[in-house]
Structures are given as C-alpha cells and as structure tokens.
C-alpha cells in the first residue's frame, strides 16, 4: 500500500454509482400485499460509489469521482451535491435518460431494504480516455458492483496498470470473475457477501477462502466489528463501537472509504479499522447516506474519547 507522510493529503479516485435515494422510514417493514404508514420520508443523494467518495472526502482526502448521471433533474442535483462536498466531478458524465434511483425502507431498528434502479449507472462501460488522468498519482481506487461488470473490470485493470491500490466492495453480491479479482488488491465484503461468494457462513473460513483469490480482505461484520486478513499473516479483528443504530444505510461504504484513507496515510490495518469503525459508528447514529457521514474532526474526537 502507498504510505503518505502527514504533510501530504491522500488522494482517491472512485469509479462507481451515484443515485438519488428515496428513503421511507417505518416501524415495521410491510409484508407481501401489506400497506403500512410510514413515519418519515427523505430524498437524499446516495449510491455506493458516491457514498464511498463522500466518506473519503470527509475523512480528509482529495477525491475524484467517475461515473454517470442522467440528463434529468436528479442528475443535476446529484452533480451539484458532489461538487458541494469538494469532490472533483470532472469524470462524472451526463448521459441521455434517467439517473440512478434507490428506493430504501428503513425499519424502527435501523435495518434497511433497498431496491436499486441503475438508470445512467448502467451506461458506464469503463473509464473514457479523457478521464484516465484522474487516476494518476492517487493512493487508492474504490470500486463497487452497482456499475456493469465490464466497467468495474476495466477500472480495476486500469488501476493496476497505473500502480494504484484497487479496493473492491462486492455489492450487490454476485459471482466475481477471475479477470476482475486478478486486478484487486483489497476486497471489502460484508459477512453476507462473503458467504455468497465463498459458501462459508463462518467469517474466518470465508476470509481464508477469499485470500486464495485476492491479497488482502477486509470483512465487515456489522455489530460484530470487522476482520482483516493478508496472505501469510494472522487475521486482525476489531470490535464495532456500541451505538444505537438509527439508519445503517451506507455504513459499509463509510467503513470502506475511511479505511482506505487511513491506510493511505500509513496507518496499520488495526489502526485503520479502528478509524473506520469510529466513522461508521457516527454514520449509523444519523439518518441518510452521505448526509450522515462524520467529518474527520468528529472521528478523531471519538477516537480520543
């Protein structure tokens, strides 16, 4: 991994999805054919790619975002929101049609159910030649699976060509081609995604299986914390911080973006996991995706406290 001195601000590129999240809050999620009355509704920018970009920016990095929005009202709002969060949107194209949308239902315990309609995200096939310079000199490239697989694979290949550490969050869970994993440095699944990929429900068994395919794995375990592994080394486990969850949307994205920045700054895996755990703990205590993420000062204050 690239290690920075404290005098240099880490730089990250994110190739990923950006959606408008339409979030309904309910006491209990309705069953099939059932109608319930919600307690609140919010329209907030989201998407796994954008969430990770915001998390990295809040953690103190310079961030460039690559992806696509539609030529609709949501597209303009999503672009403006990223720009307002000091994220470079040079690589965010506008394409004909609708922007990505996520319909999210959050229950009274903070759990969620999500339906994603890709929209413009589905039009991304790779990194255009005119935007490839955005990967020059960055400390990490963050990828997820809300873009077409060909785009994710092309991004990972380009990251490897440029010597950039490639982080992949395999969500939504699906089969991962060897061609993609050959260019991934750090795989960041949650426990459900790891089980879907490996067939192992037990975290350490899943970790061992994943390390046969990629050099490093950061496995997030929700309330049980996180588990990190690198080939040839003993796994590192860090507990989650105990908080009352209000909305767990984007908690994993917050964790991944924060971890990548902490590692780029030269922190050890354990230190980076603790930094990411603090960022995620703040995130789940607030409503929304990008709007819930903590600033670096808030994270450092929690770590000190």
């Amino acid at each position: 991994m690239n290690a920075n001195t404290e005098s240099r601000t880490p730089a990250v590129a994110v190739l990923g999805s950006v959606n408008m999240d339409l979030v309904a809050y309910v006491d209990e999620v309705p069953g099939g054919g059932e109608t319930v009355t919600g307690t609140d509704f919010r329209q907030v920018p989201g998407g796994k790619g954008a969430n990770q970009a915001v998390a990295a920016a809040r953690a103190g990095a310079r961030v460039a975002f690559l992806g696509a929005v539609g030529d609709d009202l949501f597209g303009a709002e999503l672009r403006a929101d990223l720009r307002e969060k000091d994220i470079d949107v040079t690589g965010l194209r506008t394409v004909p049609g609708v922007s990505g949308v996520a319909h999210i239902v959050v229950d009274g315990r903070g759990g969620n159910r999500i339906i994603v309609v890709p929209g413009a995200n589905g039009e991304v096939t790779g990194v255009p030649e005119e935007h490839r310079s955005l990967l020059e000199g960055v400390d990490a490239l963050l990828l997820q699976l809300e873009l077409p697989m060909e785009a994710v694979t092309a991004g990972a290949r380009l990251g490897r060509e440029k010597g950039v550490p490639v982080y992949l969050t395999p969500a939504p869970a699906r089969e991962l081609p060897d061609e993609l994993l050959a260019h991934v440095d750090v795989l960041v699944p949650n426990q459900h995604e790891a089980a879907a990929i490996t067939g192992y429900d037990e975290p350490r068994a899943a970790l061992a299986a994943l390390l046969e395919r990629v050099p490093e794995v950061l496995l997030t375990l929700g309330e049980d914390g996180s588990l990190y592994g690198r080939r040839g080394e003993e796994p590192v486990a860090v507990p989650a911080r105990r908080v009352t969850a209000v909305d767990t949307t984007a908690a994993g994205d917050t964790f991944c973006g924060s971890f990548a920045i902490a590692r780029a700054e030269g922190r050890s895996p354990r230190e980076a996991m603790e930094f990411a755990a603090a960022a995620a703990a703040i995130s789940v205590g607030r409503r929304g995706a990008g709007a819930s993420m903590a600033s670096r000062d808030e994270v450092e204050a929690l770590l000190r406290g």
Side-chain angles (χ1 to χ4, degrees):
M1 309 294 287
N2 289 3
N4 293 332
T5 63
E6 292 185 0
S7 62
R8 191 173 84 81
T9 301
V12 169
V14 180
L15 173 63
S17 59
V18 54
N19 300 321
M20 185 61 77
D21 290 352
L22 307 177
V23 190
Y25 294 87
V26 297
D27 292 328
E28 294 290 341
V29 175
E34 182 184 6
T35 299
V36 300
T37 299
T39 59
D40 196 7
F41 172 81
R42 299 192 181 191
Q43 176 181 304
V44 291
K48 294 194 73 63
N51 291 341
Q52 291 185 2
V54 173
R58 292 273 175 85
R62 291 186 293 109
V63 182
F65 188 82
L66 300 96
V69 293
D71 57 2
D72 56 356
L73 182 59
F74 282 167
E77 292 180 2
L78 292 167
R79 179 182 296 277
D81 180 76
L82 289 172
R83 187 182 291 119
E84 289 171 4
K85 291 180 170 68
D86 295 324
I87 294 170
D88 182 351
V89 292
T90 303
L92 181 62
R93 297 184 297 122
T94 298
V95 300
V98 299
S99 298
V101 174
H103 293 259
I104 303 174
V105 178
V106 181
D107 65 30
R109 295 170 294 281
N112 59 55
R113 297 186 182 185
I114 304 174
I115 300 173
V116 175
V117 182
N121 296 305
E123 300 301 314
V124 180
T125 58
V127 180
E129 188 67 37
E130 63 270 24
H131 295 153
R132 295 190 174 196
S133 63
L134 294 171
L135 271 67
E136 298 290 345
V138 301
D139 298 287
L141 170 63
L142 307 186
L143 304 170
Q144 323 77 36
L145 297 181
E146 287 185 343
L147 297 181
M149 188 63 77
E150 64 175 310
V152 181
T153 302
R157 185 185 302 112
L158 181 61
R160 176 59 57 84
E161 290 174 2
K162 292 185 176 295
V164 177
V166 176
Y167 288 71
L168 173 65
T169 301
R174 68 180 78 173
E175 183 176 349
L176 300 177
D178 291 336
E179 182 184 6
L180 169 59
L181 292 181
H183 304 295
V184 170
D185 296 286
V186 187
L187 190 68
V188 192
N190 64 26
Q191 56 192 334
H192 307 295
E193 293 150 3
I197 295 167
T198 66
Y200 294 110
D201 292 323
E202 201 283 316
R204 288 181 180 263
L207 182 75
L210 291 171
L211 285 172
E212 294 179 1
R213 304 185 70 185
V214 294
E216 297 178 55
V217 175
L218 175 62
L219 181 55
T220 60
L221 304 171
E223 295 180 352
D224 294 325
S226 58
L227 183 65
Y228 168 87
R230 180 189 289 166
R231 288 175 181 166
E233 298 183 7
E234 285 296 312
V236 176
V238 168
R241 288 178 170 265
R242 297 305 172 191
V243 295
T244 300
V246 174
D247 184 352
T248 58
T249 305
D253 298 325
T254 301
F255 198 101
C256 179
S258 302
F259 178 86
I261 297 310
R263 290 292 285 137
E265 291 175 339
R267 303 192 195 207
S268 70
R270 180 179 296 279
E271 292 169 335
M273 293 161 75
E274 291 170 347
F275 182 89
I282 295 171
S283 171
V284 301
R286 301 169 176 171
R287 288 186 169 183
S292 72
M293 295 177 185
S295 68
R296 184 183 187 89
D297 287 345
E298 289 177 307
V299 175
E300 296 286 9
L302 181 58
L303 289 171
R304 289 194 301 270

